[in-house]
Amino acid sequence: MNIGFIGAGHMGSAMIEGLLKAKIVTPENLFVKGGSSGTAEALQKKFNFQLIKDYNAFKECKVIFIATGAKIVLDILKQAAPFMSKGTILISVATGHTVEEAQAVLGKEIHVVHAIPNTPVSVNAGMIGAVFASDMPGASKEEATRVLESLGKIEEVSENILGTFGTVAGCSPAFVDIFMEALADGAVMEGMPRSLSYEVIAQMMLGSAKLAIETKKHPGELKDGVTSPGGSTIKGVAALEKNGFRYAVMDAVKKANS
Ligand SMILES: NC(=O)c1ccc[n+]([C@@H]2O[C@H](COP(=O)([O-])OP(=O)(O)OC[C@H]3O[C@@H](n4cnc5c(N)ncnc54)[C@H](OP(=O)(O)O)[C@@H]3O)[C@@H](O)[C@H]2O)c1
C-alpha cells in the first residue's frame, strides 16, 4: 500500500519513523512532500522514502497524512485534492480545523479522519485521539484504524474533546520530560551520576505507566501503595504538595489548552 505525507516537521517525522518501524509501509511506497526549509530533504537521507515536489504520486496513495501548521492545512488540502483518488483516506493530524471543514474542501469521495497523535508515535507507543467522518465506510475506517494502530493506541473521540485530548496526550510529553529532567537534577544533587539518573527515571516512568494501565488502579491507590507511614516517600509527596505540584500541572493543562 502507498502512503502519502504532507509535512515532515516534528510530528510528521515522528509518524514517518513509526510507520516505517511498524513496516506498515516501505520506504519505496512512502511519498513525502515537505515545505521549503529542507527538513524533509534531511529526513529523506535518514529514511530513504520517496521525496516528492508535487502531488502527482498521491493518485496512487490509499492513505495520505497531512502534518503541517494549522493555519495552512485547508489551503494545502485544496491544492492536493485534485490529485486524490476516490476512496482515499485523508488523515489530518493538524490542529485548528474540523472534519467537516476538511471534508468540504476535499469532497465526499475522500474519507477524512482527524487524528491528534503525540511524539511517542516514533517508537510505536503513541496515544492518538481520532475523529472519523460520520459517513465513512466501514472498510475505510478499519483501514485507517489499522494504520494508526501501528503507531500506538487509538481512541475514537468526539470532536468537541479532541482539543483537550490533544493537549493532554500531545503536550504532556513535554511536561513529563521536564519532570524527568527535574527528578534527574534532584538525583544528581544527591550524588547520582546524570546518565544513570535519566536511565533509572525513564524506566521508572515506563514501569509506573505499565502498572497503571495493567492494574487499572486509581493513581491515588498506586501512590498509597508506595507511601508507608512516616516513610520517605510521603515526605517527598508533602514537599510536592507544599510547592503546589498538582496546581502547577492543572494550570499547565489549562494554559496549553487555551
Ligand atoms: N508536535 C506535536 O507534538 C503535535 C502533536 C499533535 C498535533 N500536532 C499538529 O501537527 C501539525 C504539525 O506540527 P509540528 O510540530 O510537526 O510542526 P512543524 O515541526 O512546524 O512541522 C510542520 C511542517 O510542515 C511543513 N510544511 C509547510 N508548508 C508545507 C507545504 N506546503 N507542503 C508540505 N509541507 C509543508 C514544514 O516544512 P518547512 O519547515 O520545510 O517549510 C514543516 O516541516 C500542527 O498542526 C500541530 O498542531 C503536533
Side-chain angles (χ1 to χ4, degrees), residues 6-7 9-11 33-37 39 67-68 70 72 76 93-95 117:
I6 310 173
H10 291 103
M11 184 41 67
K33 184 183 178 305
S36 52
S37 74
T39 314
T68 64
I72 55 173
I76 293 179
V93 303
T95 49

Side-chain angles (χ1 to χ4, degrees), residues 151-242:
L151 296 169
K153 186 170 160 46
I154 162 171
E155 198 73 56
E156 186 174 354
V157 294
S158 58
E159 197 134 44
N160 63 331
I161 66 152
L162 190 64
T164 307
F165 189 106
T167 301
V168 176
C171 302
S172 298
F175 307 161
V176 169
D177 292 338
I178 288 173
F179 181 53
M180 287 202 286
E181 198 181 8
L183 278 176
D185 284 344
V188 169
M189 200 160 65
E190 294 299 308
M192 196 152 129
R194 185 163 288 277
S195 60
L196 177 64
S197 305
Y198 284 136
E199 209 175 300
V200 169
I201 289 159
Q203 180 59 37
M204 172 280 296
M205 294 196 91
L206 186 66
S208 299
K210 199 164 190 271
L211 194 64
I213 289 168
E214 288 187 7
T215 63
K216 293 191 170 44
K217 281 186 181 169
H218 186 281
E221 193 183 344
L222 291 169
K223 182 262 295 169
D224 288 353
V226 192
T227 46
S228 51
S232 50
T233 309
I234 195 66
K235 289 177 187 157
V237 169
L240 286 176
E241 298 292 9
K242 187 180 170 205

Side-chain angles (χ1 to χ4, degrees), residues 55-101:
Y55 300 112
N56 275 315
F58 282 6
K59 289 175 187 151
E60 305 297 328
C61 289
K62 178 70 191 155
V63 177
I64 296 168
F65 284 92
I66 181 162
T68 64
K71 284 187 186 144
I72 55 173
V73 67
L74 292 177
D75 280 344
I76 293 179
L77 287 181
K78 211 172 284 177
Q79 292 164 30
F83 300 91
M84 295 183 198
S85 306
K86 188 178 168 185
T88 299
I89 298 165
L90 183 283
I91 304 178
S92 171
V93 303
T95 49
H97 71 85
T98 62
V99 165
E100 208 176 313
E101 283 167 338

Side-chain angles (χ1 to χ4, degrees), residues 1 28 53 64 71 99 106 112 120 124 129 136 145 164 166 168 201 218 220 235 237 242 245 250 254:
M1 176 181 67
E28 298 75 46
K53 293 287 170 202
I64 296 168
K71 284 187 186 144
V99 165
L106 295 168
V112 175
N124 311 95
M136 194 163 176
T145 302
T164 307
V168 176
I201 289 159
H218 186 281
K235 289 177 187 157
V237 169
K242 187 180 170 205
F245 181 68
M250 287 170 72
K254 191 174 168 57

